[in-house]
Amino acid sequence: MGVAVWIGLFLLSSLFWAWLLFWGGADWLEGSWLAAVFVHFRAMEWTAEGIRLFAGLMWLGEGIWFAIGLFVPEVRLFKL
């Protein structure tokens, strides 16, 4: 996968996590089956604060993986 695609995927993912954390996405998804589809299969049972916590941890983990992938191309998942 090229660097441009790697950066683009991270930006799209970051928009989703930012929506959940800062722009009311967690409140909108709370108790909905859509939370199970887009966040985690157990997220239907979580409060908005739990969804935000999960989103923050995932964003942190993806940020670390993104930084590693910038310098070590072998850790990127696909050869696009």
Side-chain angles (χ1 to χ4, degrees):
M1 175 182 309
V3 174
V5 174
W6 186 249
I7 292 170
L9 288 174
F10 180 70
L11 289 176
L12 284 174
S13 175
S14 291
L15 280 174
F16 175 70
W17 298 125
W19 174 68
L20 286 175
L21 282 168
F22 307 118
W23 300 320
D27 295 320
W28 190 74
L29 287 176
E30 183 179 12
S32 169
W33 62 271
L34 290 172
V37 173
F38 292 115
V39 180
H40 189 273
F41 72 95
R42 300 280 312 263
M44 282 178 50
E45 305 165 5
W46 298 346
T47 63
E49 291 80 22
I51 294 172
R52 282 189 199 95
L53 175 64
F54 182 81
L57 292 173
M58 288 297 295
W59 202 3
L60 178 66
E62 285 184 10
I64 293 168
W65 189 255
F66 171 74
I68 292 169
L70 280 178
F71 301 108
V72 184
E74 293 82 30
V75 302
R76 299 177 204 160
L77 297 177
F78 303 106
K79 298 284 185 187
L80 296 178

